[in-house]
Amino acid sequence: MATMDGLISLVNTLQRACTKLGDFGGDTSLPTLWDSLPSVIVVGGQSSGKSSVLESIVGRDFLPRGSGIVTRRPLVLQLHKTDHREPEYAEFLHLPKRKFTDFSMVRREIQEETDKLTGKSKQISTVPIQLSIYSPNVVDLTMIDLPGLTKVAVEGQPEGTVQDIENMIRSYVEKPNCIILAITPANQDIATSDAIKIAREVDPTGGRTFGVLTKLDLMDKGTNASEVLEGRSYRLQHPWVGVVNRSQVDINNNVDMIVARRREREFFATSPDYAHFASKMGSEYLAKLLSNHLESLIKARLPSIASSISRNINELETELDHLGRPVAIDAGAQLYTILELCRTFDRTFKEHLDGGRPGGDRIFTVFDYQLPAALKKLPLDRHLSIQNVKKVVSEADGYQPHLIAPEQGYRRLIDGALNYFKNPAEASVDTIHLILKELVRKSVAETQELKRFPTLQTEIAVAAYAALERFREEGKKTTLRLVDMESSYLTVDFFRKLPQEIEKGVNPTAPAVDRYSEGHFRRISANVSSYISMVSEMLRTTIPKAVVHCQVKEAKHSLLDHFYVQLGQKEGRELTLLLDEDPTLTERRMKCARRLDLYKSAREEIDSVIWVR
């Protein structure tokens, strides 16, 4: 099995990478590595001695002090044990090249960096400050110090600050990989402890909670905290640890932390109440206990963390592929990108027409159902009624009645009937136009690559609609010509048979008045109706051909031809405007890329630990 040295250092490295790349947890829109990293979360109420515990573990006086809420941003404190011959120093992630050997300057930098985000109005921020301390007097350990729990906001703070602090603390301590360091003053009833209360809610079994009792030296005479420290008052799965911090007088007198540690050891060793477990009390023991447990937790969780990292890398790479590469700056590359996007849209549009995607079948429905139905509904019965036929024939004869066959009457009746075909012809053109427009709209929406560029998306749609409009005009002209052609030249063979049919069974010596009888006009109506039926069948076939040729075929083969010509005339700046990407997508790609870099570096770091023998 591979060795597991440097596990805490590994987590320290990953936490620094998270902070650099903006992964502080809480952002549900992206996978977070921060939330999966084991860490020690320091929780306590105001004036619980939380800051003093941290300073005792570090052995340095470095945290801001004061009244009210002093800690207003999470402080990620990474301790690195060094050789005793090496100097002691601190380093901030936001100031990587500056080493602080004066720890009063560390305190000032924490305060100033806090004020940069929160201002001096006592507001809080979830963005952490990352501080590393290198010292021979510490153990390898990572702790995250959070603002102290409080019940009342101080003057100058927003009303929601109390709830904001609790929400921030909960967002940390609810994570299953988190160790809760619950700080409680010994001179306070454990039942009212803010830290224990919140720890009990998120960790009811006590498996992740370490209890720390502070201010044991300030308890009333005759009282002690043995019941708590021995786990009889409030049981946890891990032992309680008592600590004795510097008093305010010690702080004011700048008592050295090393001296304070020695006094703490003496307190427990000489106390009749605590001497029997003095070896398991104090800040030094607490630091070692936390360090060992943190290392064990990291070792146990490392395989699942590595698996999660690999899974998230795959998800992020898939999303980045979907989002596409960043836009090129070179005009030639931009033009190539635009043309590729146009071709992608064009392929989608053709798939709709050819049946690869739904929608093209509606065109056939127009020709197979709607056009025939419209032709059947034409008011030809009214036009060819006996009364109307007689009227049209009489008007066509004028002052000189026809002698044999009323040719002019026939022509007028046929022309009038054929005029009715213009509306169905135009309606077919318009209906196909609307279908093609809808397919363009769908194709634009379904071309995922275009969603990155709303300006280009709009321009392609506008160009396609303009082309369809041109095709519609051509389609109308062509279909109306088909109708006009039928009026311009009648099918002679059909009419050459009419005299024989008319005279068949008729007495040639019959009086001329018979030619103006109702039967005569009924035969004219029947003849014209037969001819129009023949023409209708032809138009039912030729109108779809004309529409497909002028509209569908043109849309399929030359929908964006005019747009391509316009693209070739555009300057570099105009091409850039077309590729003006949606800012939300640009931001999303950048976030995904940064998060992917974080996960890849994390995978390399974990692999270097797992596979080093």
Side-chain angles (χ1 to χ4, degrees), residues 369-408:
Y369 173 74
Q370 294 182 14
L371 176 61
L375 293 177
K376 287 181 181 179
K377 290 180 181 179
L378 293 178
L380 296 177
D381 289 345
R382 186 175 70 246
H383 180 70
L384 296 177
S385 66
I386 300 301
Q387 184 179 0
N388 192 60
V389 170
K390 187 174 183 179
K391 176 176 177 291
V392 172
V393 170
S394 298
E395 289 175 351
D397 284 347
Y399 74 94
Q400 177 66 59
H402 63 274
L403 299 178
I404 300 176
E407 181 173 336
Q408 291 302 317

Side-chain angles (χ1 to χ4, degrees), residues 155-213:
E155 185 178 352
Q157 284 185 326
E159 292 181 4
T161 299
V162 174
Q163 188 61 48
D164 290 343
I165 291 174
E166 183 173 337
N167 292 341
M168 182 198 297
I169 291 172
R170 285 184 182 278
S171 71
Y172 277 86
V173 298
E174 286 173 347
K175 301 166 190 170
N177 285 353
C178 139
I179 300 169
I180 305 170
L181 190 64
I183 311 293
T184 301
N187 56 0
Q188 174 187 329
D189 185 353
I190 195 73
T192 64
S193 167
D194 294 324
I196 291 299
K197 177 178 178 292
I198 201 168
R200 184 189 289 119
E201 292 176 10
V202 300
D203 180 32
T205 64
R208 298 189 289 117
T209 303
F210 283 79
V212 178
L213 275 186

Side-chain angles (χ1 to χ4, degrees), residues 116-168:
K116 281 183 182 178
L117 282 189
T118 64
K120 298 185 182 296
S121 60
K122 303 296 182 181
Q123 292 182 346
I124 65 168
S125 168
T126 58
V127 180
I129 298 173
Q130 196 103 18
L131 173 63
S132 296
I133 294 179
Y134 301 81
S135 169
N137 302 316
V138 300
V139 295
D140 289 327
L141 183 60
T142 298
M143 297 179 290
I144 301 178
D145 184 27
L146 300 175
L149 287 158
T150 182
K151 292 180 172 60
V152 181
V154 300
E155 185 178 352
Q157 284 185 326
E159 292 181 4
T161 299
V162 174
Q163 188 61 48
D164 290 343
I165 291 174
E166 183 173 337
N167 292 341
M168 182 198 297

Side-chain angles (χ1 to χ4, degrees), residues 4 45 81 83 104 120 138 147 190 250 256 295 324 332 428 554:
M4 289 290 182
K81 186 172 181 62
D83 189 89
S104 65
K120 298 185 182 296
V138 300
I190 195 73
D250 292 337
D256 185 80
E295 187 168 357
S428 297
E554 285 299 309

Side-chain angles (χ1 to χ4, degrees), residues 433-444:
H433 175 74
L434 292 176
I435 292 173
L436 292 174
K437 279 189 72 173
E438 176 63 15
L439 294 183
V440 165
R441 187 195 64 77
K442 281 186 176 181
S443 300
V444 168

Side-chain angles (χ1 to χ4, degrees), residues 446-459:
E446 292 170 5
T447 306
Q448 296 296 326
E449 297 86 344
L450 275 178
K451 291 182 179 179
R452 291 177 56 189
F453 311 107
T455 302
L456 179 60
Q457 189 181 49
T458 301
E459 289 294 320

